[in-house]
Amino acid sequence: MKKVLFVILVFSALVLAACGGGGADAVATLAPVPADFAGQTNPLGADAAAAGAEVFKTNCEACHGPQGHGDGPAGAALDPAPKNLAVLQTTAGDDYLFWRIATGKEGTSMVAWKGVLTDEQIWQIVSFIRTLKQ
Ligand code: HEC
């Protein structure tokens, strides 16, 4: 009987560990991309990442951090905290990233960058985000 209990305990612990392992950065389900943006792909290649790094440094790094990990000094006190873009980019399509950067995210400190940045600059940033490592 004791052995059975032990097996059950170990099994429960494993299940709990598997469920809780994602942490705050886990991207569960992304919001659907609105029709105006859905299906867009980055017209720029990986070469645009260097230019994107510059635009990112000037406009995004303060909150999202130099490696996009969401750990910039200006983001420390924000709720919700800036997203870890290195994690996000593993599941988000080009259209999702462009849409979020262009139009911002309601209810958060993420403002719309359309009008501040050109479409080309936003795509450059998307190329840069694709280079970020977790
Ligand atoms: C004032 C701080 C701040 C600045 C500056 C900022 N962000 Fe954000 N960003 C946030 C916050 C806060 C969120 C919302 C996080 C959440 O919803 O969990 C966010 C969300 C995002 C998201 C979407 C995440 C998601 O879950 O959909 C992307 C993509 C993003 N930022 C990219 C950028 C880029 C690129 C720039 C620069 C052009 C930038 N951000 C500038 C704070 C900032």
Side-chain angles (χ1 to χ4, degrees), residues 27 30-31 55-56 58-64 74-75 78-85 88 96-101 104-106 108-111 113 117 122 125-126 129:
V27 181
L30 297 177
V55 186
F56 187 88
T58 310
N59 300 284
C60 324
E61 188 178 300
C63 287
H64 287 278
L78 298 178
D79 182 20
K83 239 347 178 281
N84 182 330
L85 302 177
L88 178 72
Y96 184 91
L97 293 172
F98 186 93
W99 163 56
R100 278 298 193 211
I101 299 166
K105 190 166 179 185
E106 222 170 280
T108 78
S109 313
M110 178 66 186
V111 298
W113 291 89
L117 302 175
I122 296 177
I125 294 177
V126 172
I129 290 175

Side-chain angles (χ1 to χ4, degrees), residues 28-43:
T29 354
L30 297 177
V33 180
D36 287 0
F37 295 88
Q40 290 191 37
T41 52
N42 192 345

